[in-house]
């Protein structure tokens, strides 16, 4: 221990159990006060996989050893663990939602074993048709630069496009692109002409271009059948064609919409998420003339640490 | 027999076996030369249900008695029977496709039993991204008024919006609305909050309005989840909300697109198809400020007769 420093701020000394607790997977990071990972692990203990909803037992099984070594260490979790289907529901924070505000609105409780648990709330964009995120607010908090501003795109099952200013998420929109792609490939007529899912850059780019073109998505989907029927996109390329089409349509919609996504001016964006998917979006954004950088993969533990600091959980 | 009239033009005397032979269902009409139905029947003998692809056996089973009574009667079929997966492929006719042109381009052949079979070709709209119809051209031929012009909407699994001028289909577009609705209800997260499929006019109208609003479909779909999560549309109404949303987005896209659908000027349309679905589209079109009438249910046999006449199959 370094004299004069609080015990939890010693480099290499555990200061926070940071959990990214989603629908299918639980990822854990044992962090020191500077955010260095002392230990990391993951398990198929997402909220839908926890037997009988016994989240406390799942937690002990997952990282009981971390608590055994540091009995009073704080725990902060983000993601679907704070949803109605999770451990306890953490009420949504309305936009604009800053890191400080997220820290103030943590849901805190003590487990039967006396663990101090805190859960990051999701964020809601109010309006006639509200929109919600849960987990992405923490990734954005971890990706924010010193200017506390930017446009963030989080591709996935339910892609999020978010605008951040003055350190706060000011607006965002959700696109069901990933889920739409999956159900169309697996359950619609569009999957029938597809021959495998090998990469086909040309077919992907063609799909992006048509997705970006004027007109709505519903009137473009059938092209993934007709281009196959007429042999203009080979069967082996239809998978990537549809992927490009959906991503292109998402980009067109996000850019053309109201200011909710903040994309109308075409400024550069930061992509957060799975590296392969982020690279796919970067390529599509390049076709749309939008520069994009891909955030590193440590945004979630970094975001959890920043929120934990804002909440005073970590010194 | 009336002296001086050709035998097949006697009222009540069989002049045409008209078949609407689709993917799942085969509908047959024994028509006299004026188009009156002497007999009608249907069976689950769609092209995907014909064992071993033995279409001749299916035909004999379905209406062998009609041929027995009138051995030389002509047969005209429309629909997926002329597709690659059907009996024989009838090549697409490019737009503009008139009734006369469809009649000239019939695919004709003789069966092993000596039946003279003719199949109506589908129609293709050429372009970078072609579009196709097969069966709908016959329905449109049957719905056409004396002016030989109009805008036709054929809702269904793959909705078609078609413009007709001078008796010819000049352009059309396909929207995968019906299939999209089915896969989203059955296989996506949007179906999970739905409680039944009872009619909810208010939820339907709300969905139509949001579907018509600015912005693409992909960014609107998630509303069918958030409005349910926030209790702003009851679980029992989410089914109709999503239906309205998809139909509204289809209308917005068809109206806002290039001239392919010919809808940009908002003129009245004729709806062709299942009465309940057509009524649903009429209600949605009314919200969009577009007048619509629903065609009667005899458009397919009437279209087959008109094409048969153009081809000289019927006097």
């Amino acid at each position: 221990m370094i004299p004069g420093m609080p015990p939890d701020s010693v480099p290499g000394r555990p200061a926070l159990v940071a959990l990214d607790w989603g629908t299918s997977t639980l990822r854990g990071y044992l962090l020191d006060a500077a955010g260095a990972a002392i230990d990391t692990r993951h398990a198929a203990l997402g909220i839908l996989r926890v037997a009988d909803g016994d989240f406390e037992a799942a937690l002990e099984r997952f990282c009981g050893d971390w608590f055994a070594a540091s009995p009073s260490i704080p725990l902060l979790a983000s993601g679907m663990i704070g949803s109605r289907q999770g451990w306890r529901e953490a009420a949504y924070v309305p936009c604009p939602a800053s890191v400080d505000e997220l820290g103030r609105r943590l849901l805190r409780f003590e487990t039967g074993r006396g663990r101090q648990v805190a859960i990051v709330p999701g964020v809601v964009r109010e309006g006639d048709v509200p929109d919600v995120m849960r987990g992405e607010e923490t990734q954005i908090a971890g990706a924010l630069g010193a200017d506390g501003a930017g446009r963030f795109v989080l591709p996935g099952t339910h892609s999020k496009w978010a605008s951040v200013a003055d350190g706060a998420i000011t607006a965002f929109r959700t696109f069901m692109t990933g889920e739409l792609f999956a159900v169309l490939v697996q359950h619609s007529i569009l999957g029938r002409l597809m021959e495998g899912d090998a990469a086909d850059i040309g077919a992907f780019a063609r799909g992006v271009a048509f997705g970006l073109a004027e007109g709505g998505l519903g009137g473009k989907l059938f092209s993934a059948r007709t281009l196959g029927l007429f042999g203009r996109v080979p069967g082996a390329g239809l998978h990537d064609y549809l992927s490009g089409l959906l991503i292109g349509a998402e980009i067109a919609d996000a850019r053309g919409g109201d200011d909710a996504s903040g994309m109308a001016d075409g400024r550069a964006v930061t992509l957060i998420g799975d590296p392969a998917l982020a690279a796919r979006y970067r390529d599509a954004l390049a076709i749309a003339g939008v520069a994009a950088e891909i955030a590193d993969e440590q945004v979630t533990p970094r975001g959890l640490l920043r929120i934990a600091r804002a909440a005073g959980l970590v010194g």
Side-chain angles (χ1 to χ4, degrees), chain A:
Chain A
M1 196 181 301
I2 299 172
M5 279 185 80
D8 68 356
S9 65
V10 175
R13 179 185 296 267
L16 181 69
V17 172
L19 301 182
D20 171 9
W21 205 332
T23 302
S24 49
T25 305
L26 167 58
R27 291 177 193 282
Y29 308 83
L30 183 64
L31 304 178
D32 74 9
I38 298 161
D39 194 6
T40 67
R41 60 186 63 165
H42 62 92
L45 282 171
I47 65 164
L48 295 183
R49 293 170 171 172
V50 171
D52 304 323
D54 190 346
F55 295 100
E56 180 165 7
L59 177 67
E60 295 300 324
R61 181 147 65 98
F62 182 69
C63 60
D65 56 325
W66 291 350
F67 290 112
S70 312
S72 65
I73 192 168
L75 178 160
L76 183 60
S78 66
M80 292 303 282
I81 189 66
S83 70
R84 214 173 292 176
Q85 293 77 38
W87 197 339
R88 295 201 192 176
E89 189 172 1
Y92 293 107
V93 171
C95 289
S98 66
V99 171
D100 285 348
E101 184 68 5
L102 292 171
R104 271 192 293 274
R105 303 282 210 96
L106 296 186
L107 173 70
R108 303 195 193 206
F109 60 94
E110 190 177 305
T111 72
R113 283 184 176 76
R115 315 290 186 218
Q116 300 299 321
V117 172
I119 298 179
V120 180
V123 177
V124 59
R125 176 178 58 71
E126 298 283 7
D128 282 349
V129 179
D131 205 341
V132 293
M133 62 168 60
R134 197 179 280 286
E136 292 90 350
E137 74 295 323
T138 301
Q139 294 176 282
I140 292 169
L144 263 185
D147 62 352
R151 283 84 195 282
F152 296 88
V153 180
L154 300 92
T157 305
H158 299 158
S159 293
K160 308 284 182 185
W161 292 64
S163 290
V164 180
D166 297 328
I169 299 167
T170 54
F172 65 91
R173 289 178 69 195
T174 300
F175 296 83
M176 286 185 58
T177 307
E179 184 163 16
L180 204 49
F181 180 68
V183 299
L184 288 171
V185 169
Q186 291 167 33
H187 301 290
S188 88
I189 197 171
L190 300 184
R192 289 198 212 145
L193 293 174
M194 292 181 183
E195 297 166 8
D197 58 0
D200 184 330
I201 295 171
F204 178 76
R206 182 164 183 170
V208 171
F210 193 50
L212 288 169
E214 201 184 345
L217 178 61
K220 292 173 178 170
L221 286 176
F222 202 59
S223 67
R225 178 162 177 82
T226 56
L227 289 171
L229 280 178
F230 285 76
R232 299 197 195 166
V233 172
L238 287 172
H239 190 267
D240 263 10
Y241 174 81
L242 181 62
S243 169
L245 178 65
L246 291 174
I247 294 172
E250 176 184 329
I251 293 170
D253 198 1
R255 292 176 81 188
D258 59 29
D259 198 45
S261 68
M263 280 292 301
D265 63 7
R267 270 172 48 186
V269 302
T270 300
L271 285 159
I272 301 175
D274 167 74
L277 186 59
R280 189 169 274 263
Y281 269 70
R282 184 191 54 205
D283 294 346
L285 283 161
I287 293 171
V290 178
E293 63 175 9
I294 298 178
D296 68 68
E297 293 186 67
Q298 299 308 310
V299 292
T300 301
R302 192 184 307 125
L304 284 163
L305 183 72
R306 286 177 177 177
I307 295 167
R309 280 186 187 140
L313 292 178
V314 175

